[in-house]
Amino acid sequence: MELKIYENMLTVASMQSLRVSCDLPLLEPEMIKTALSRSLLNLTAVVDDRVVGMLRVVGDGLFVFIICDVMVMPEYRNLGIASALVAHSLQCIEYMLPSGFVGVVSLFSVKEHVKLYKRLGFKPLPRGSKGPGMQTIVIGK
């Protein structure tokens, strides 16, 4: 399996397809276009010319970043794709930050994925009923 990650190439159709595969409801295409245009970064995971995963980063682009919409098609889970997407997003955030600047990266995790995010340096925040918020620190390159 050769995984490729593309920056800011996610399409409305790909996002809809991923949402369906992850049992999430379809959204109005205009909503997705707006969400993508307001994102600081979107990543697309591709295996054998097939979009199999995605991730978005939103925030102020200076010192607050939020990772959201991490999705991987069920048949491609447990292959390291989500880890690769999150790691790639953290590297991109490092380069968005001014050199030496500290940024906070946050996300919300379902309980089943806490271990994944911990491996990538995230620390759980006070726990909610559906899973904890998590944060890590990155430093601009």
Side-chain angles (χ1 to χ4, degrees):
M1 173 188 88
E2 183 184 356
L3 173 65
K4 295 179 183 175
I5 296 177
Y6 296 97
E7 298 173 13
N8 300 316
M9 300 294 290
L10 189 63
T11 66
V12 171
S14 294
M15 189 167 171
Q16 293 284 48
S17 176
L18 286 164
R19 291 184 64 80
V20 168
S21 76
C22 294
D23 292 325
L24 296 170
L26 290 174
L27 299 173
E28 292 295 323
E30 285 303 313
M31 290 175 66
I32 293 176
K33 285 179 189 175
T34 300
L36 291 175
S37 72
R38 292 182 181 172
S39 299
L40 298 172
L41 173 71
N42 68 69
L43 299 178
T44 308
V46 177
V47 174
D48 298 327
D49 296 322
R50 182 178 184 197
V51 174
V52 299
M54 68 163 284
L55 174 151
R56 286 190 320 122
V57 176
V58 298
D60 61 19
L62 291 174
F63 51 87
V64 175
F65 301 86
I66 301 166
I67 294 176
C68 58
D69 293 336
V70 180
M71 291 181 234
V72 176
M73 290 184 150
E75 61 268 32
Y76 288 90
R77 291 182 184 158
N78 300 310
L79 299 174
I81 294 170
S83 294
L85 285 166
V86 173
H88 191 100
S89 72
L90 292 174
Q91 289 176 341
C92 290
I93 291 168
E94 287 176 356
Y95 286 100
M96 286 182 206
L97 289 166
S99 181
F101 235 70
V102 175
V104 176
V105 182
S106 303
L107 58 81
F108 293 97
S109 175
V110 294
K111 292 176 186 177
E112 297 81 20
H113 298 141
V114 170
K115 287 182 185 177
L116 160 77
Y117 295 120
K118 280 184 176 181
R119 281 195 315 266
L120 294 166
F122 286 83
K123 306 275 188 253
L125 299 172
R127 191 173 191 113
S129 63
K130 295 187 178 197
M134 302 185 81
Q135 285 185 335
T136 193
I137 301 295
V138 295
I139 299 174
K141 295 270 184 184

